[in-house]
Amino acid sequence: MRKLLVLALVGLAAQLVDGALGMAYGLTSSTLLLFAGIAPATASASVHLAEIGTTLAAGVAHWRFGNVDWRVVARIAVPGAAGAFAGATFLSAISTESAAPWMAAILFTLGAYLLIRFSRPLRPRSAAGRLRGRFLGPLGLFAGFVDATGGGGWGPVATPALLVSGRLEPRKVIGSVDTAEFMVAGAASVGFLIGLGTEGFLLPTVAALLVGGLIAAPIAAWLVRIVPAQLLGAAIGGVIVLTNARTLLRAGDAGASLTPVVYTLLVVGWVLALALSVRALRRARRARATAEAALAAAEPTPSGAAPAPVPVGAEARLAAVDR
């Protein structure tokens, strides 16, 4: 019973992080199960079965809070499900641990880019356009495969890639990725059921993770709606960097004396990026207040007098802050 309570708390914490950052439910849960000595395929199968319920709850909550772009969900979920089914079938027969360092390097690079991008003031792109299917399809296929073979990875692959594109606001990236994950988790579970049978699922563990995740899902969807995009992007970048640094250090056989130094430098860099993002956020809010005041002063007076001239660039500054 004590272990099940701990697993429920892990599921709750993992869903809070996943719902707020668009990643880490599978990563956190799978890490715990692997640490307990459970086989990789069984751990991934159990986590994905629990995710069917948690992602459904998260998707509904994100939809109610207006965090979902259904066009993105439709174009990424189906390829993601195909990739997850293929990955689950593959993992049922063979391990993919040798590919972990390469994947960690890609994710580490994306995380570092996000830290740099969100530590500076956010600027609107003049010709951002919409996310295209030829980008979303392969991304979903790849992220789904990684998710099933690694016990987690849908969020760490899909969320940074969509954020880096700059064509969708962070809260809608997270909401859309979480909503699409319902199909990914279902397809992966079917693949594990075919490859491992019912013995591949630890039902008490699934139930504990599910209960914790269901409790946290609506809270996380509300949280992502109020957290500023500037801080959210910097937080996501730091999570990705620190999470994948561990895999890279192990793959490079870093000595016991080098590992603490690397982690210290990464944490210092993350703290610095968060501090810069807070400063940029404050500047943006001050600019917004100035632009709003200028636009209010330019409105016609009740007596019909001519409006005051709008300061040059006020409307542009307000649009930039909104973005």
Side-chain angles (χ1 to χ4, degrees):
M1 179 60 68
R2 183 180 301 176
K3 290 181 179 180
L4 291 178
L5 289 175
V6 171
L7 285 172
L9 291 175
V10 169
L12 188 148
Q15 184 59 42
L16 279 176
V17 175
D18 187 88
L21 298 181
M23 64 186 70
Y25 181 90
L27 179 64
T28 303
S29 304
S30 296
T31 300
L32 175 65
L33 296 183
L34 291 175
F35 182 76
I38 297 174
T42 302
S44 183
S46 301
V47 168
H48 280 90
L49 186 59
E51 281 185 322
I52 293 178
T54 60
T55 54
L56 177 60
V60 172
H62 278 299
W63 166 65
R64 294 190 64 181
F65 281 107
N67 299 335
V68 179
D69 186 321
W70 290 106
R71 178 181 175 276
V72 173
V73 171
R75 298 199 174 197
I76 199 174
V78 175
F85 180 83
T89 304
F90 184 70
L91 185 62
S92 298
I94 190 171
S95 174
T96 57
E97 293 181 1
S98 60
W102 298 99
M103 180 54 54
I106 296 172
L107 297 177
F108 185 94
T109 303
L110 285 171
Y113 176 83
L114 289 177
L115 278 178
I116 296 172
R117 180 171 185 264
F118 283 95
S119 64
R120 299 179 298 174
L122 300 179
R123 305 292 185 188
R125 295 189 177 185
S126 57
R130 295 195 304 174
L131 290 164
R132 298 183 178 181
R134 63 186 181 185
F135 167 72
L136 294 173
L139 173 64
L141 186 68
F142 180 67
F145 185 85
V146 172
D147 184 71
T149 55
W154 173 255
V157 173
T159 299
L162 294 180
L163 284 172
V164 166
S165 72
R167 298 182 179 184
L168 196 65
E169 56 182 310
R171 71 180 181 90
K172 288 200 171 183
V173 168
I174 294 169
S176 301
V177 169
D178 274 2
T179 302
E181 193 174 7
F182 171 72
M183 288 188 63
V184 174
S189 298
V190 173
F192 283 120
L193 180 63
I194 295 174
L196 301 175
T198 56
E199 297 81 6
F201 300 95
L202 302 176
L203 296 183
T205 298
V206 171
L209 292 174
L210 178 59
V211 169
L214 290 177
I215 294 173
I219 303 174
W222 167 79
L223 183 64
V224 72
R225 197 167 184 264
I226 65 173
V227 175
Q230 192 85 49
L231 296 180
L232 195 59
I236 291 172
V239 169
I240 296 170
V241 166
L242 290 177
T243 299
N244 292 281
R246 181 169 175 266
T247 303
L248 292 174
L249 289 172
R250 285 187 173 183
D253 294 326
S257 59
L258 179 61
T259 300
V261 175
V262 173
Y263 275 119
T264 300
L265 292 175
L266 292 176
V267 170
V268 169
W270 189 13
V271 172
L272 178 60
L274 286 173
L276 291 174
S277 69
V278 169
R279 186 176 69 172
L281 180 63
R282 289 177 176 175
R283 288 181 176 178
R285 286 177 174 175
R286 287 197 296 267
R288 178 183 178 83
T290 301
E292 287 180 342
L295 291 175
E299 293 179 355
T301 60
S303 59
V310 180
V312 177
E315 294 184 352
R317 288 197 302 271
L318 181 58
V321 174
D322 286 336
R323 176 61 179 262

